């Protein structure tokens, strides 16, 4: 571990730098990890371009990155379940206190939670990173580091499908075929959804969705009438879907979700758009359509590891670009331009394999 700890640091809006930071020392309940694979998320790019997301505002330099896997280099004195050399996936949200949300299993809603790369907390897009050992999950031998990093977006899909109540025989509409829409597709199918229709503006994303198991793909155009899109969705499925998972955050897409979902169904909002939105709320009310929010995830890593290890879910096709850590700015620009699906940064100079 001679030398520094190359890190991708956001100093201010538009000011992304590679810089050496000290190698951290793990506390009693922490592990020091040599990072291997870190995916770039839309939120990382949003912080880079805007310096904030909602109420989370960058006020000091912050290391980016929260979709990550690495290898244990040091273990704290109290850590029993991990040892040096273990390969682990990192859950980036760690409760700071045992509050009511922690106690009832919804720790993602704790207002004081630590979360990688959310101001003021540093992320893990670096060579060496320390993290709570209880939120590091050992990877089976047949699961790669990149798959381990993709457990983070996969967890969004698991949490969204759980919130939506996807089960055997459910018909599902997914609005948006970006990385999150695609993991929702993978999870919905794994949880027993009988038919999934997915929408997007980009034909290449719909092609990827088809390869990943979508039963129907619907290309939408800006300005399409939501009620007409709802009719098209019903025609494709033969009935209105039980569940809609909205992954774009676009107001017109939320309209489509509400109009398309069958009476008594569920609309789950995953995509984050403008703070205020005009929506056909009365239409939802008289159909008794439940509208449910999604904030990150909780209690998903064990299920995700099992899904990947068993082969029930294959996330490998999602990685379309890879860059060494030294080319982080180029990797971020690739993501900003919307090229491919998932851009992966490789943090270990001696191991650039998946």
């Amino acid at each position: 571990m001679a030398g520094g700890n190359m890190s991708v640091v956001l100093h201010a809006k538009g000011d992304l730098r590679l810089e050496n930071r000290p190698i951290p020392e793990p506390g009693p309940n922490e592990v020091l990890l040599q990072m291997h694979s870190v995916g770039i998320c839309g939120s990382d790019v949003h912080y880079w371009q805007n310096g904030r997301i909602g109420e989370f505002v960058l006020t000091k330099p912050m290391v980016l990155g929260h979709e990550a896997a690495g290898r244990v280099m040091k273990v704290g004195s109290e850590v029993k379940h991990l040892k040096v050399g273990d390969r682990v996936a990192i859950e980036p949200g760690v409760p700071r206190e045992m509050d009511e949300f922690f106690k009832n299993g919804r720790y993602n809603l704790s207002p004081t939670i630590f979360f990688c790369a959310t101001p003021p907390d540093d992320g893990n897009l670096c060579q060496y990173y320390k993290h709570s050992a209880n939120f590091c999950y050992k990877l089976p031998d047949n699961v790669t580091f990149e798959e381990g990093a993709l457990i983070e977006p996969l967890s969004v899909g698991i949490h969204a499908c759980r919130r939506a109540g996807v089960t055997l025989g459910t018909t599902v509409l997914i609005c948006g075929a970006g990385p999150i829409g695609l993991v929702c597709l993978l999870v919905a199918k794994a949880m027993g959804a009988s038919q999934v229709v997915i929408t997007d503006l980009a034909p290449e994303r719909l092609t990827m969705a088809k390869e990943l198991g979508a039963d129907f793909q619907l290309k939408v155009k800006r300005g399409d009438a939501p009620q007409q899109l709802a009719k098209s969705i019903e025609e494709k499925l033969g009935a209105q879907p039980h569940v809609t998972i909205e992954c774009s955050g676009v107001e017109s897409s939320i309209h489509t979700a509400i109009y398309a979902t069958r009476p008594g169904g569920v609309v789950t909002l995953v995509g984050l758009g403008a703070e205020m939105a005009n929506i056909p709320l009365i239409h939802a009310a008289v159909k008794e359509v439940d509208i449910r929010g999604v904030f990150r995830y909780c209690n998903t890593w064990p299920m995700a590891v099992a899904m990947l290890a068993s082969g029930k879910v294959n996330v490998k096709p999602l990685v379309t670009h890879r860059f060494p850590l030294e080319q982080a700015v180029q990797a971020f620009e690739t993501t900003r331009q919307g090229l491919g699906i998932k851009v992966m940064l490789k943090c270990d100079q001696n191991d650039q394999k998946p």
Side-chain angles (χ1 to χ4, degrees):
M1 288 192 290
N5 178 18
M6 192 192 301
S7 306
V8 179
V9 183
L10 182 63
H11 280 255
K13 175 181 171 180
D15 184 4
L16 190 64
R17 307 180 198 174
L18 269 175
E19 61 187 41
N20 265 323
R21 289 193 158 196
I23 296 172
E25 193 63 33
N29 294 295
E30 295 176 325
V31 287
L32 175 67
L33 303 170
Q34 180 177 17
M35 300 307 298
H36 186 284
S37 297
V38 181
I40 299 177
C41 173
S43 66
D44 293 316
V45 174
H46 199 279
Y47 278 120
W48 171 40
Q49 294 295 297
N50 300 281
R52 65 183 296 159
I53 294 179
E55 296 172 7
F56 298 105
V57 182
L58 187 76
T59 56
K60 64 182 180 66
M62 176 181 77
V63 179
L64 290 171
H66 60 269
E67 304 178 358
R71 191 185 300 277
V72 176
M73 301 295 288
K74 277 187 187 178
V75 295
S77 57
E78 300 295 315
V79 177
K80 302 289 189 289
H81 68 290
L82 294 172
K83 63 183 187 304
V84 171
D86 282 346
R87 301 160 57 253
V88 298
I90 299 166
E91 179 171 0
V94 181
R96 283 188 167 95
E97 57 183 318
M98 195 178 288
D99 58 14
E100 61 176 301
F101 300 104
F102 184 103
K103 289 175 184 174
N104 67 25
R106 301 181 73 179
Y107 55 86
N108 58 312
L109 301 179
S110 174
T112 60
I113 194 169
F114 167 92
F115 198 89
C116 291
T118 297
D121 302 326
D122 282 325
N124 44 36
L125 194 38
C126 49
Q127 289 174 305
Y128 299 100
Y129 170 74
K130 71 173 182 179
H131 198 69
S132 166
N134 287 323
F135 288 77
C136 293
Y137 298 81
K138 193 171 173 181
L139 292 173
D141 292 342
N142 66 335
V143 176
T144 66
F145 281 112
E146 283 188 359
E147 289 176 284
L150 288 168
I151 288 176
E152 196 278 342
L154 185 63
S155 284
V156 177
I158 292 171
H159 190 55
C161 287
R162 282 177 175 170
R163 291 277 293 149
V166 176
T167 185
L168 280 171
T170 306
T171 53
V172 180
L173 163 64
I174 297 173
C175 301
I180 295 302
L182 294 174
V183 292
C184 287
L185 162 65
L186 290 170
V187 174
K189 292 299 263 186
M191 286 184 170
S194 58
Q195 290 185 306
V196 178
V197 57
I198 191 164
T199 67
D200 204 274
L201 295 163
E204 61 274 13
R205 290 194 163 182
L206 293 175
T207 301
M208 171 69 84
K210 184 176 183 180
E211 291 169 5
L212 293 177
D215 300 281
F216 305 101
Q217 306 83 44
L218 180 62
K219 185 181 180 303
V220 297
K221 303 187 301 296
R222 295 187 197 282
D224 280 349
Q227 283 157 306
Q228 191 55 50
L229 286 173
K231 282 195 178 72
S232 301
I233 290 156
E234 184 175 358
E235 285 165 8
K236 282 189 178 293
L237 282 174
Q240 293 178 311
H242 297 104
V243 162
T244 298
I245 301 173
E246 207 299 305
C247 298
S248 73
V250 175
E251 186 176 296
S252 62
S253 186
I254 299 171
H255 293 187
T256 301
I258 290 171
Y259 287 128
T261 306
R262 74 173 60 187
V266 177
V267 171
T268 305
L269 302 178
V270 184
L272 298 177
E275 184 180 0
M276 301 298 288
N278 288 308
I279 62 168
L281 193 60
I282 302 306
H283 186 84
V286 297
K287 288 204 303 182
E288 292 194 4
V289 168
D290 291 354
I291 299 174
R292 299 178 187 169
V294 165
F295 185 60
R296 298 171 179 159
Y297 32 67
C298 57
N299 306 303
T300 54
W301 257 253
M303 177 188 276
V305 171
M307 281 177 158
L308 295 174
S310 67
K312 297 288 186 206
V313 168
N314 179 18
V315 293
K316 290 177 183 176
L318 296 176
V319 181
T320 53
H321 295 75
R322 295 176 178 87
F323 292 89
L325 187 60
E326 296 82 354
Q327 294 177 22
V329 176
Q330 186 182 342
F332 268 77
E333 184 58 33
T334 301
T335 307
R336 188 188 69 78
Q337 292 177 17
L339 302 175
I341 301 294
K342 179 58 65 178
V343 176
M344 194 67 66
L345 277 158
K346 314 301 288 185
C347 302
D348 184 347
Q349 291 167 313
N350 300 315
D351 181 6
Q352 300 280 300
K353 298 192 298 292

